[in-house]
Amino acid sequence: MTEKRKSITPMRHFNMADFLRGQASRILTSVSKTDDTGFVCKHGKPIVVVMSNERYERLLKAGIDINEF
């Protein structure tokens, strides 16, 4: 029997330059409202990941503590 894999939704990408141009509040509010995750990129390379608090709380309830990795 072949195991079916769950499809992976790609994360959004945000440019560090947008944060530096005063767009941080807009970006973070969008991530929060859409219960989303995303990379913040500098020079095209991901440097941090942002996620909604609701998503983070679900991870904790599922027994996943991202601080352990």
Side-chain angles (χ1 to χ4, degrees):
M1 184 172 181
T2 305
E3 185 178 319
K4 188 171 185 176
R5 291 182 147 193
K6 182 179 175 183
S7 64
I8 297 174
T9 304
M11 290 201 315
R12 294 168 59 187
H13 287 77
F14 306 102
N15 292 316
M16 176 63 91
D18 292 333
F19 281 82
L20 298 174
R21 291 185 192 119
Q23 298 298 312
S25 180
R26 179 188 60 81
I27 293 168
L28 296 176
T29 299
S30 172
V31 169
S32 175
K33 283 185 177 181
T34 59
D35 189 28
D36 208 354
T37 59
F39 291 112
V40 178
C41 300
K42 185 174 182 178
H43 304 297
K45 295 182 181 180
I47 59 171
V48 297
V49 173
V50 294
M51 74 173 64
S52 69
N53 188 62
E54 289 80 11
R55 187 173 294 249
Y56 177 71
E57 292 291 332
R58 285 196 309 274
L59 288 172
L60 290 177
K61 284 182 182 178
I64 300 168
D65 184 358
I66 61 173
N67 293 306
E68 291 180 7
F69 293 96

